[in-house]
């Protein structure tokens, strides 16, 4: 990182560390600067540097701007557990975005249904149903139009209770629309422990609160 004229200037390696994105992705963003508005660099000691504040503002807008819902893939098994690359294909985004979401999740980004421990990192799995529910949730900010009409937010309704398990049940109901209470309860029991019968009662409570 360099300082010039009271400003911080970052080379590409600094931007990789700052953003969490890989060099290939940042090079592609620079390559497409005529269409994406990428900030211009300043030559410092023969190396391209970018005003860190200006670049960070541009990058946040580029990363979090409205997405095209028409690119979302609505086909396939709703309950299939997908690795990051599969999640990216469903959402129609760059796989690096899913990695970034793991480090800095957007609003309402669903918790993984399974985490695989690898030698140097972890791999998070999510279902298509979770991703579709997230896309269609207006709070997520993923798109500006399309998708299913927003209904009562079960998570917001569940906040009336002090039992955190009701919130978990509400989240599961939102992620698995159309599934029977017993199926949702079985998934919760497998993930969080306790009996299926216990979770059935909690799922029923979450549904009641969502309708109030």
């Amino acid at each position: 990182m360099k300082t010039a004229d009271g400003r911080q200037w970052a080379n590409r390696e600094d931007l990789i560390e700052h953003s969490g994105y890989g060099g290939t992705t940042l090079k592609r963003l620079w390559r497409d600067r005529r269409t994406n508005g990428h900030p211009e660099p300043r030559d410092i000691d023969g190396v391209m540097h970018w005003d860190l504040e200006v670049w960070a503002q541009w990058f946040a807008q580029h990363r979090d701007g409205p997405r095209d819902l028409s690119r979302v893939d609505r086909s396939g098994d709703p309950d299939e557990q997908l690795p990051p690359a599969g999640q990216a294909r469903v959402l129609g985004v760059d796989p690096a975005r899913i990695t970034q979401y793991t480090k800095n999740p957007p609003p309402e980004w669903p918790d993984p249904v399974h985490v695989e421990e690898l030698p140097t990192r972890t791999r998070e799995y999510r279902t298509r149903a979770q991703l579709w529910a997230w896309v269609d949730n207006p709070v997520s900010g993923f798109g500006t139009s399309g998708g299913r009409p927003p209904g009562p937010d079960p998570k917001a309704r569940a906040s009336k209770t002090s039992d955190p398990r009701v919130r978990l049940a509400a989240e599961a109901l939102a992620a698995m629309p159309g599934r029977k209470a017993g199926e949702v309860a079985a998934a919760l029991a497998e993930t969080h422990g306790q009996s299926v019968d216990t979770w059935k009662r909690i799922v029923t409570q979450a549904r009641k609160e969502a309708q109030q």
Side-chain angles (χ1 to χ4, degrees):
M1 197 83 68
K2 301 286 187 179
T3 301
D5 302 327
R7 310 282 292 182
Q8 283 190 307
W9 295 82
N11 61 22
R12 184 163 284 131
E13 286 70 26
D14 295 327
L15 296 181
I16 291 171
E17 181 177 357
H18 177 79
S19 68
Y21 277 64
T24 301
T25 298
L26 297 190
K27 287 179 182 178
R28 177 175 53 78
L29 292 173
W30 169 244
R31 182 199 65 196
D32 298 337
R33 59 190 177 278
R34 292 184 179 179
T35 56
N36 63 25
H38 193 292
E40 291 297 319
R42 173 177 178 173
D43 186 291
I44 300 179
D45 298 331
V47 177
M48 288 192 301
H49 285 71
W50 288 267
D51 184 312
L52 182 60
E53 182 178 353
V54 172
W55 188 91
Q57 291 176 351
W58 167 83
F59 181 74
Q61 293 174 353
H62 175 81
R63 181 192 64 198
D64 299 329
R67 305 288 179 258
D68 183 1
L69 285 174
S70 66
R71 297 178 59 187
V72 176
D73 181 0
R74 304 265 181 181
S75 64
D77 179 2
D79 297 322
E80 182 181 359
Q81 298 182 7
L82 303 174
Q87 297 170 45
R89 284 193 295 271
V90 169
L91 298 178
V93 300
D94 190 299
R97 192 177 306 281
I98 305 301
T99 302
Q100 183 67 17
Y101 283 175
T102 300
K103 301 175 182 178
N104 185 25
E108 305 299 318
W109 181 241
D111 292 332
V113 294
H114 172 65
V115 178
E116 181 181 3
E117 297 292 340
L118 301 176
T120 59
R121 57 191 173 87
T122 59
R123 179 182 292 152
E124 296 183 349
Y125 289 76
R126 293 173 177 82
T127 65
R128 286 188 175 88
Q130 283 184 299
L131 298 173
W132 295 336
W134 179 74
V135 164
D136 292 336
N137 185 346
V139 178
S140 74
F142 185 86
T144 57
S145 62
R148 293 191 296 270
D153 184 352
K155 297 178 187 178
R157 298 294 187 182
S159 64
K160 294 180 178 180
T161 180
S162 60
D163 189 341
R165 296 176 301 175
V166 176
R167 178 183 60 80
L168 292 173
E171 291 174 351
L173 287 167
M176 296 183 283
R179 301 297 294 274
K180 295 180 180 179
E183 295 173 323
V184 177
L188 289 165
E190 182 178 355
T191 303
H192 301 287
Q194 297 187 311
S195 70
V196 174
D197 287 339
T198 297
W199 280 109
K200 281 183 180 179
R201 291 193 294 271
I202 296 170
V203 168
T204 299
Q205 179 65 27
R207 280 181 168 168
K208 286 181 180 179
E209 294 195 7
Q211 293 170 357
Q212 292 175 359

